[in-house]
């Protein structure tokens, strides 16, 4: 009985469950043929560049084992860079290099790593260790984001990112993920990153959730995380909404980082965005999704969609 | 996605599965309980004779199906003998023949007699005794001369005292089976057995009658002699009369063997013929009986059942047929409960291995393999091998460890340890690889959680698949898989919450 009660409570709150997301949203709104556009980060990047959406600059790609030895050349002029698998998911297989000391590289957490180790990691990426189904993969070497000082006081290593869920091109919910010591600099809520809900209309941070607890300050820096307003919020919403036109996916999660120099950069697009955003926002997705699918599925352009979101999803 | 299409598919699949299931249970009498027993009789005749070193030919009558008993699974055994079967008048005759019979010859006839269910008796297999007529009486030599006179006299006396055929037959039996028969009867009995005399006298009266040799099907095992009784035509059907009890009908279950006065055997080219007849009641699994009866009733139907496969293939299907059950459980545990496992079907394969190792040893051996494998995998990490060679290396080490575990446990006298060889090593290798990635990327807690999740799913799957009733039900009624398919398809559109999502969204539930 308590289980049924919990189910009805979840349903009253409009919580979207995994089965519901899979059956109705990812299967119903996303056509299979468009998945490769977002699953392959190289294609995502080039499509975005064509459409004029800013992405972190690509220094090079490594596609075959032979090219692994070219790594020093690719990063010769960079002290900071990121290596990531083109088909990775959930942040697996990403290495962030923040500096170079002689023939050693310094990772974001300060640990030194040899060139050999780095090349071995790339070999693993190429052989498909991090890709779905173990298919051979490509490694990307790209610009390492210098995040906007706005998050400086409330993140621990790693890169804080902003996730916006977009349904039929209308932004419906968003959050900021702040890395902590516990999450080892990763922006993954399972592993202890801080999830902060955002007011979709204004881009102001609401309460934060750490694992299952509501908190008001960052666990490592002790600075308050609520009430911070993200600058140029409407630009971010517009960017997220445009992904619908670029990738033709009706239900997606857009990950954006704020760079000190280049402003908002699109990091990646996810065709199966997770459900934790509901915990961070302490609100269910379903009422918002229903509103969009009933009333906003054929809005004419990006501006109309963003306006709809700002009007209806004010917290 | 058309909802009507979806639901009608589920409905049709369930309906189809259920109809076949109920047909088999209700009509074919397939028992739901695998332990249910049903009674059968094994009939065996052993024939020995001395061959003369020339062509030999032995003919024997064989038992006949009579409602509600049916003779099945007959076998005729004789080394270097050809066997032919034919119908002769009301009887079935089997003939063994060989070119050269020298020394002691042994022949066997075996058959299994099963009792059909009441509703199964309306089938053609029962060679309906032809309606009473001259031909169907078997060879009955007519009375002649003095015997004819005696017969007519006896008939005249008895006929005056009886009202109908039944009383006529009964008084004839009484007179001709007396210890000290009267003169007429004595003459009649001087050259033939009483049953034949009675049949002859009844024929004089224009009432068809015949002698029947058969066996009683008793509930106790005992040596059996052939029983003789009489069948008399009454309202155009054959009615049995018991000669010993002098009554209409025979109380015990009985089976006719042959009709007429001919001897059971005819032999050419042999001497010293001896035979031994045994009828032993036996218990057999009701399911075997049902299958055998089904073969009689509706062979086409059972031709397409798993029981028609060779035994060794059946053994394989006993295992295969349970995999869908495990898969269904997996669907529930993953999509309704929300457990995480390494690889989609890995727990099922592990559960299959548990069938051989048993649960406890399975868990111990599997954990040992994975643990040792992980240690090797972490060591190989230092060597910076490429993925595929590394996987192959882990696989080789896994095989070595399996061999070592088997040898050790063998020397320690732990028999179960040998069954480690049955673990699917490729699956073990992939599990080690995935676990080490999760370990590296998400930390040991997550890796152990997923490992324990996978093992508990495997254990649950094993427990479900090892239930004898599951094996029995799905092997006997494979159509239940259609119902399972319907449920699985239905679950494919289950968009409700998963059980563990309650814990996941706990925080939101606690809101005021």
């Amino acid at each position: 009985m308590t289980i049924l009660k919990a189910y009805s409570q979840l349903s009253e709150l409009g919580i979207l469950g995994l089965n519901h997301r899979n059956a109705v949203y990812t299967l119903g709104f996303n056509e299979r043929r468009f998945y490769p556009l977002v699953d392959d980060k190289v294609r995502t990047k080039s499509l975005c560049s064509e459409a004029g959406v800013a992405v972190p600059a690509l220094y090079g790609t490594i596609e075959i084992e032979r090219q692994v030895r070219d790594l020093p050349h690719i990063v010769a002029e960079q002290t900071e860079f990121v290596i990531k698998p083109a088909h990775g998911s959930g942040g697996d297989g990403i290495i962030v290099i923040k500096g170079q000391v002689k023939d050693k590289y310094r990772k974001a957490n300060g640990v030194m790593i040899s060139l050999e180790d780095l090349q071995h990691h790339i070999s693993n990426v190429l052989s498909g260790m991090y890709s779905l189904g173990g298919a051979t993969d490509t490694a990307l070497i790209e610009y390492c984001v210098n995040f906007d000082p706005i998050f400086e006081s409330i993140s621990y290593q790693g890169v804080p990112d902003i996730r916006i869920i977009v349904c039929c091109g209308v932004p419906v919910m968003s959050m900021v993920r702040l890395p902590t010591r516990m999450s080892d600099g990763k922006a993954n809520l399972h592993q202890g990153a801080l999830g902060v809900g955002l007011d979709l209309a204004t881009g102001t941070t609401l309460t934060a959730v750490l694992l299952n607890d509501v908190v008001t300050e960052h666990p490592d820096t002790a600075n308050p995380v609520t009430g911070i307003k993200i600058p140029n919020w409407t630009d971010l919403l517009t960017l997220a909404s445009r992904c619908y036109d670029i990738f033709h996916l009706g239900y997606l999660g857009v990950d954006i980082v704020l760079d000190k120099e280049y402003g908002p950069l699109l990091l990646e697009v996810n065709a199966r965005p997770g459900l934790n955003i509901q915990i961070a926002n302490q609100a269910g997705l379903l009422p918002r999704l229903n509103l969009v699918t009933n009333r906003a599925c054929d809005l004419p352009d990006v501006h109309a969609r963003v306006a709809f979101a700002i009007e209806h999803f004010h917290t | 996605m058309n909802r009507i299409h979806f639901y009608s598919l589920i409905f049709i699949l369930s309906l189809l599965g259920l109809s076949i299931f109920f047909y088999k249970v209700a009509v074919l009498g397939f028992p739901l309980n695998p332990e249910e027993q049903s009674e059968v009789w094994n009939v065996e005749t052993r024939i020995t004779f001395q061959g003369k070193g020339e062509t030999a030919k032995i003919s024997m009558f064989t038992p006949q199906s009579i409602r509600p008993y049916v003779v099945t699974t007959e076998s005729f055994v004789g080394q270097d003998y050809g066997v032919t079967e034919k119908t002769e008048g009301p009887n079935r005759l089997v003939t063994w023949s060989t070119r050269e019979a020298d020394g002691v010859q042994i022949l066997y006839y075996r058959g299994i007699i099963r009792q059909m269910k009441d509703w199964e008796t309306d089938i053609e297999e029962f060679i309906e005794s032809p309606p009473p007529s001259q031909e169907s009486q078997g060879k009955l030599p007519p009375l002649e001369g003095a015997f004819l006179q005696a017969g007519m006299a006896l008939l005249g006396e008895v006929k005056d005292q009886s009202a109908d055929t039944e009383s006529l037959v009964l008084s004839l039996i009484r007179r001709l089976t007396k210890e000290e028969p009267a003169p007429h009867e004595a003459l009649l009995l001087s050259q033939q057995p009483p049953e034949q005399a009675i049949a002859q006298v009844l024929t004089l009266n224009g009432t068809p009658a015949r002698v029947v040799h058969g066996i009683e099907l008793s509930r106790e095992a005992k040596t059996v002699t052939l029983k003789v009784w009489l069948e008399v035509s009454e309202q155009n059907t054959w009615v049995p009369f018991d000669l010993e009890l002098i009554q209409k009908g025979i109380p015990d279950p009985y089976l006719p063997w042959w009709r007429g006065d001919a001897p059971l055997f005819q032999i050419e080219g042999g001497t010293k013929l001896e035979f031994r007849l045994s009828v032993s009641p036996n218990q057999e699994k009701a399911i075997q009986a049902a299958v055998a009866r089904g073969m009689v009733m509706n062979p086409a139907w059972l031709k397409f059942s798993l029981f028609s496969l060779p035994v060794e293939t059946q053994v394989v299907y006993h295992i295969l047929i349970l995999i869908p059950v495990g898969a269904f459980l997996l669907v529930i545990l993953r999509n309704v409960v929300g457990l995480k496992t390494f690889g989609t079907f890995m727990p099922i394969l592990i559960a299959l291995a548990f069938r051989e190792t048993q649960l406890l040893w399975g868990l111990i051996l599997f954990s040992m393999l994975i643990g040792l494998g992980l240690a090797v995998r972490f060591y190989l990490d230092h060597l910076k091998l490429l993925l595929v060679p590394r996987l192959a290396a882990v696989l080789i080490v896994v095989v070595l460890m399996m061999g070592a575990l088997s040898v050790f446990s063998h020397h320690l006298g732990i028999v179960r340890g040998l069954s480690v060889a049955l673990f699917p090593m490729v699956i073990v290798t992939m599990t080690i690889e995935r676990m080490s990635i999760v370990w590296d990327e998400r930390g040991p807690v997550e890796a152990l959680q997923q490992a324990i999740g996978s093992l508990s799913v495997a254990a649950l799957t094993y427990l479900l698949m090892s239930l004898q009733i599951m094996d029995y039900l799905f092997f006997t009624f494979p159509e239940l898989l259609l119902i399972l398919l319907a449920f699985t398809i239905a679950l494919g559109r289950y968009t409700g919450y998963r059980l563990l999502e309650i814990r996941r969204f706990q925080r939101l539930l606690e809101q005021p």
Side-chain angles (χ1 to χ4, degrees):
Chain A
M1 277 330 280
T2 47
I3 291 170
L4 286 183
K5 204 176 140 220
Y7 278 2
S8 73
Q9 233 177 324
L10 284 175
S11 153
E12 271 167 38
L13 288 166
I15 301 294
L16 181 69
L18 204 52
N19 289 330
H20 197 169
R21 184 204 76 182
N22 288 343
V24 177
Y25 294 97
T26 52
L27 278 175
F29 284 76
N30 294 344
E31 275 186 64
R32 194 79 229 178
R33 63 194 169 113
F34 296 126
Y35 274 44
L37 305 186
V38 296
D39 284 345
D40 181 349
K41 294 192 178 67
V42 180
R43 290 182 75 178
T44 310
K45 227 178 236 300
S46 67
L47 277 173
C48 284
S49 301
E50 280 168 31
V53 168
V55 290
L58 184 65
Y59 295 150
T61 57
I62 294 179
E63 289 170 31
I64 55 172
E65 197 58 39
R66 169 65 184 75
Q67 296 172 323
V68 174
R69 63 177 84 158
D70 298 339
L71 180 69
H73 299 292
I74 295 173
V75 297
E77 293 176 8
Q78 319 297 339
T79 45
E80 297 182 7
F81 57 92
V82 176
I83 297 172
K84 55 168 73 165
H87 287 91
S89 64
D92 287 353
I94 296 179
I95 288 189
V96 180
I97 299 297
K98 283 294 209 180
Q100 215 170 332
V101 183
K102 288 181 183 170
D103 60 342
K104 296 231 172 186
Y105 295 89
R106 186 163 48 81
K107 290 205 283 183
N109 58 8
V111 175
M112 300 303 284
I113 181 171
S114 68
L115 178 63
E116 199 195 346
D117 283 338
L118 214 50
Q119 285 171 329
H120 176 61
H121 178 76
I122 293 174
S123 295
N124 277 338
V125 169
L126 297 190
S127 52
M129 193 162 138
Y130 303 102
S131 66
L132 288 170
T136 52
D137 204 353
T138 302
L140 279 79
I141 295 128
E142 63 173 28
Y143 169 73
C144 176
V145 174
N146 271 307
F147 58 87
D148 194 279
I150 186 169
F151 295 129
E152 191 107 51
S153 62
I154 50 167
S155 57
Y156 178 86
Q157 297 172 350
V159 180
D161 73 348
I162 297 160
R163 153 72 57 96
I164 303 177
I165 302 278
V166 181
C167 181
C168 295
V170 180
V172 288
M173 198 175 267
S174 59
M175 68 168 166
V176 185
R177 292 180 292 195
L178 303 170
T180 61
R181 184 195 294 269
M182 198 199 303
S183 76
D184 193 24
K186 284 179 183 158
N188 195 326
L189 297 197
H190 289 302
Q191 289 166 264
L194 198 59
V196 192
L198 283 173
D199 178 352
L200 198 80
T202 63
T204 313
T205 54
L206 307 167
T207 51
V209 173
L210 181 66
L211 292 179
N212 264 324
D213 300 313
V214 172
V215 294
T216 50
E217 46 195 44
H218 193 277
D220 304 318
T221 66
N223 291 317
V225 291
T226 46
I228 296 168
K229 192 174 183 316
I230 293 172
N232 303 322
W233 178 242
T234 317
D235 292 350
L236 267 75
L237 290 181
T238 310
L239 194 161
S241 177
R242 287 188 62 189
C243 288
Y244 175 56
D245 301 319
I246 300 172
F247 301 107
H248 314 288
L249 293 167
Y251 185 76
L252 43 79
V254 181
D255 292 347
I256 301 168
V257 285
L258 292 181
D259 189 78
K260 207 188 287 182
E261 209 174 322
Y262 302 100
L265 299 178
L266 185 132
L267 209 55
E268 65 179 88
V269 177
N270 202 322
R272 313 163 192 82
L275 306 173
N276 282 332
I277 196 168
Q278 302 178 107
I279 301 173
N281 276 272
Q282 300 196 53
L285 269 168
L286 277 178
R288 298 185 182 195
L289 291 172
N290 287 337
L291 187 69
V292 169
T293 50
N294 288 336
R295 291 184 41 198
C297 246
D298 38 13
L299 288 172
D301 59 9
V302 174
H303 298 294
R305 297 198 297 252
V306 171
F308 183 91
I310 291 175
E311 185 190 340
H312 290 94
F313 304 136
H314 193 289
T315 308
Chain B
M1 182 66 204
N2 189 337
R3 290 176 83 81
I4 298 173
H5 177 125
F6 179 70
Y7 287 112
S8 41
L9 176 69
I10 291 172
F11 177 75
I12 289 169
L13 282 175
S14 324
L15 190 72
L16 193 64
L18 278 177
S19 333
I20 301 175
F21 177 70
F22 279 118
Y23 175 76
K24 278 164 115 175
V25 173
V27 181
L28 296 182
F30 280 49
L32 285 173
N33 178 0
E35 296 306 309
E36 204 172 297
Q37 300 283 319
S38 101
E39 192 144 34
V40 298
W41 290 268
N42 295 329
V43 178
E44 185 183 288
T45 58
R46 179 177 183 272
I47 308 152
T48 53
F49 68 93
Q50 195 69 38
K52 291 176 180 168
E54 56 187 53
T55 312
K57 200 167 137 189
I58 310 289
S59 298
M60 186 191 87
F61 293 114
T62 55
Q64 304 192 21
S65 300
I66 181 172
R67 191 165 293 159
Y69 301 99
V70 52
V71 185
T72 59
T73 337
E74 288 180 294
S75 55
F76 309 95
V77 184
Q79 211 176 353
D80 302 329
Y81 278 82
V83 175
T84 51
E85 281 179 90
K86 65 174 176 180
T87 310
E88 200 182 72
N91 299 320
R92 286 166 68 227
L93 193 70
V94 60
T95 308
W96 284 273
S97 50
T98 185
R99 252 169 200 285
E100 195 183 318
D102 207 357
V104 178
Q105 307 286 308
I106 303 175
L107 300 172
Y108 281 102
Y109 162 80
R110 288 197 189 96
I112 296 174
I113 295 159
R114 294 189 166 83
Q115 187 168 10
M116 302 295 276
K117 306 271 181 204
D118 294 342
W119 55 83
E120 291 173 337
T121 52
D122 192 23
I123 54 170
E124 288 175 11
E125 176 68 16
F126 296 111
I127 311 165
E128 207 42 67
S129 307
S133 69
Q134 210 60 36
E135 294 79 53
S136 64
Q137 289 177 37
K139 285 185 223 125
L140 196 64
L143 292 169
E144 278 167 351
F147 296 109
L148 182 62
Q149 294 302 322
M152 290 300 277
L154 177 61
L155 180 63
E157 284 170 35
V158 176
K159 214 173 173 181
D160 286 342
Q161 298 160 9
S162 38
D164 54 10
T165 317
E166 186 182 337
S167 49
L168 176 72
V169 175
L170 291 179
S171 51
L172 272 176
I173 296 173
R174 225 168 276 127
R175 280 174 171 249
L176 282 165
T177 55
K178 248 188 234 164
E179 296 250 335
E180 289 165 23
H184 287 310
E185 288 90 319
L187 179 65
L188 282 170
L189 292 173
S190 63
Q191 297 210 341
Q192 56 199 341
E195 61 276 5
Q196 195 173 334
I198 300 167
Q200 282 169 332
V201 174
L202 281 169
T203 313
L204 285 180
N205 187 37
T207 312
R210 61 184 180 181
V211 177
V212 185
H213 300 261
I215 48 171
E216 279 179 82
L217 301 173
S218 115
R219 301 275 162 192
E220 301 123 50
K222 58 181 182 188
T223 46
V224 180
T225 48
L226 282 167
K227 182 182 169 75
V228 179
W229 69 89
L230 210 59
E231 276 180 345
V232 180
S233 167
E234 217 177 343
Q235 275 141 21
N236 216 32
T237 52
W238 290 110
V239 177
F241 282 84
D242 195 309
L243 296 176
E244 285 163 35
L245 300 170
I246 314 180
Q247 65 171 28
K248 185 173 167 179
I250 296 168
D252 287 325
Y254 66 95
L255 193 75
W257 199 295
W258 81 100
R259 297 178 170 95
D261 64 337
L264 177 55
F265 297 100
Q266 265 151 20
I267 181 164
E268 287 172 26
T271 51
K272 293 189 194 160
L273 184 124
E274 279 173 29
F275 95 102
R276 201 178 66 214
L277 170 67
S278 64
V279 177
S280 53
N282 203 353
Q283 297 281 313
E284 91 178 332
K285 289 266 168 77
I287 177 61
Q288 281 160 13
V291 170
R293 291 196 312 268
M295 288 288 185
V296 174
M297 272 180 74
N298 199 342
W301 183 260
L302 277 151
K303 205 172 275 173
F304 297 102
S305 96
L306 292 173
F307 286 101
S308 65
L309 294 173
V311 177
E312 56 271 34
T313 316
Q314 282 193 27
V315 172
V316 174
Y317 272 94
H318 270 291
I319 299 168
L320 284 193
I321 206 96
L322 284 175
I323 293 180
V325 182
F328 183 68
L329 180 72
L330 197 74
V331 167
I332 291 180
L333 289 176
R334 282 176 65 112
N335 273 36
V336 180
V337 177
L339 284 177
K340 280 185 191 169
T341 60
F342 287 121
T344 314
F345 289 113
M346 174 274 220
I348 297 183
L349 295 167
I350 301 301
L352 283 179
F354 284 173
R355 279 175 70 94
E356 304 300 328
T357 58
Q358 302 303 314
L359 189 56
L360 183 65
W361 276 104
L363 289 173
I364 293 173
L365 291 171
F366 189 75
S367 309
M368 281 171 81
L369 267 187
I370 297 286
L372 289 169
L374 266 181
V376 171
R377 167 69 179 73
F378 283 131
Y379 167 70
L380 288 178
D381 222 24
H382 292 296
L383 303 182
K384 314 261 177 269
L385 303 180
L386 294 179
L387 180 77
V388 180
R390 184 177 64 224
L391 279 178
V394 174
L395 178 68
I396 294 169
V397 173
V398 165
V399 173
L400 281 173
M401 288 189 307
M402 281 164 58
L405 275 177
S406 289
V407 171
F408 269 122
S409 51
H410 178 64
H411 284 291
L412 291 175
I414 306 166
V415 184
R416 289 277 172 221
L418 296 175
S419 51
V420 71
L422 294 155
F423 275 117
M425 51 204 157
V426 173
I427 297 294
V428 170
T429 307
M430 292 312 291
T431 307
I432 291 170
E433 177 67 16
R434 295 185 66 149
M435 193 166 165
S436 79
I437 291 177
V438 175
W439 191 294
D440 279 348
E441 294 285 330
R442 306 266 163 89
V445 178
E446 174 97 12
L448 286 176
Q449 265 177 2
Q450 285 201 32
I452 292 168
S454 303
L455 268 189
S456 26
V457 172
L460 276 176
T461 312
Y462 162 75
L463 288 177
L464 183 74
M465 283 174 27
S466 63
L467 287 181
Q468 213 207 339
I469 185 79
M470 282 287 165
D471 177 17
Y472 172 77
L473 278 181
F474 279 90
F475 189 80
T476 316
F477 309 102
E479 59 275 7
L480 291 178
L481 288 185
L482 290 175
I483 301 174
L484 208 62
L485 179 62
F487 277 124
T488 309
I489 290 176
L491 272 178
R493 294 290 299 173
Y494 169 71
T495 59
Y497 298 111
R498 297 175 180 181
L499 197 61
L500 292 179
E501 278 176 347
I502 295 180
R503 210 184 65 183
R504 182 176 182 183
F505 296 115
Q506 190 87 50
R507 179 68 237 148
L508 298 172
L509 289 176
E510 285 160 8
Q511 278 179 335

